[in-house]
């Protein structure tokens, strides 16, 4: 499977072993749990088992066709994560760097607002707050519709 | 027909259960929402602001006016926050 959902931590470097053989350009992006308030104990991610895997595989294939990728990977965690831990990564392999960069960006914009994950911030005082979706993430996704293929 | 209805994130918390099996004659997602919201106060609270609700029919994202057809699984959730 090129798309994977899991609770366990992952090692971004280990994920790239043997990845993208024959490519001229490999781009990877790793998202990390950050604490903007200084009061966060953990981040919890809920997802929709079944739909998540299907949707990520489907969108990865779309990216592969659109950007002529040689290979791609998506790893996304769910469950309880600590500040500083990797949440997710995408990797894209193409002949040239522009396609690899663009495909990674395209996958990230989609993951932000179309992959069925929901984040909740757990405070050091035990409070829990669902993270609201951002309009800017929606706008970032829209620009791919307008862009010539 | 019988449909499995799933709830995620704060919709799950408001309804109080992660899933339920529902008997419905609803033609569209919106019709199903109307039926569900009439069940009790918890459901009504979950569906109070439909601008904040997204939906998937058989694990495909759809709009509220999408037909239910022969759907087996309908999920309701807030806008997604992955990545």
């Amino acid at each position: 499977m090129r798309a994977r959902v899991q609770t366990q931590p992952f090692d971004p470097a280990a994920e790239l072993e043997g990845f993208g053989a024959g490519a001229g350009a490999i781009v990877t992006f790793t998202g990390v749990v950050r604490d903007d308030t200084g009061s966060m104990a953990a981040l919890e991610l809920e997802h929709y088992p079944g739909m998540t895997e299907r949707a990520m595989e489907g969108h990865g294939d779309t990216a592969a066709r659109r950007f002529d990728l040689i290979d791609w990977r998506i790893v996304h965690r769910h469950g309880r994560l600590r500040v500083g831990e990797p949440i997710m990564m995408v990797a894209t392999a193409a002949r040239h760097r522009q396609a690899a960069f663009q495909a990674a960006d395209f996958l990230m914009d989609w993951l932000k607002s179309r992959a069925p994950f929901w984040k909740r911030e757990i405070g050091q005082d035990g409070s829990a707050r669902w993270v609201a979706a951002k309009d800017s993430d929606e706008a970032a996704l829209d620009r791919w519709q307008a862009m010539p293929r | 027909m019988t449909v499995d209805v799933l709830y995620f994130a704060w919709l799950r918390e408001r309804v109080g259960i992660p899933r339920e099996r529902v008997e419905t004659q609803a033609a569209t997602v919106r019709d199903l929402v109307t039926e569900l919201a009439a069940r009790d106060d918890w459901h009504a609270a979950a569906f109070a602001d439909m601008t904040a609700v997204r939906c998937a029919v058989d694990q495909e994202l759809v709009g509220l006016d999408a037909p239910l057809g022969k759907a087996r699984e309908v999920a309701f959730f807030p806008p997604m926050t992955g990545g």
Side-chain angles (χ1 to χ4, degrees), chain A residues 60-115:
Chain A
D61 286 340
T62 301
R65 282 193 301 274
R66 179 165 176 168
F67 300 100
D68 201 15
L69 297 180
I70 290 165
D71 205 355
W72 60 272
R73 291 283 185 285
I74 303 173
V75 181
H76 207 305
R77 291 176 66 195
H78 66 102
R80 185 171 277 227
L81 282 66
R82 295 176 200 283
V83 174
E85 286 186 1
I87 306 179
M88 51 77 58
M89 69 172 281
V90 301
T92 57
R95 284 178 52 75
H96 300 290
R97 71 185 150 90
Q98 194 186 26
F101 272 123
Q102 282 196 335
D105 204 15
F106 174 80
L107 285 174
M108 281 312 305
D109 284 341
W110 177 84
L111 282 162
K112 280 274 174 199
S113 48
R114 289 293 182 278

Side-chain angles (χ1 to χ4, degrees), chain A residues 15-39:
Chain A
E15 297 292 334
L16 294 176
E17 279 176 33
F19 173 76
I26 291 177
V27 166
T28 67
F29 172 87
T30 304
V32 178
V33 180
R34 69 167 196 273
D35 177 11
D36 289 339
T37 59
S39 61

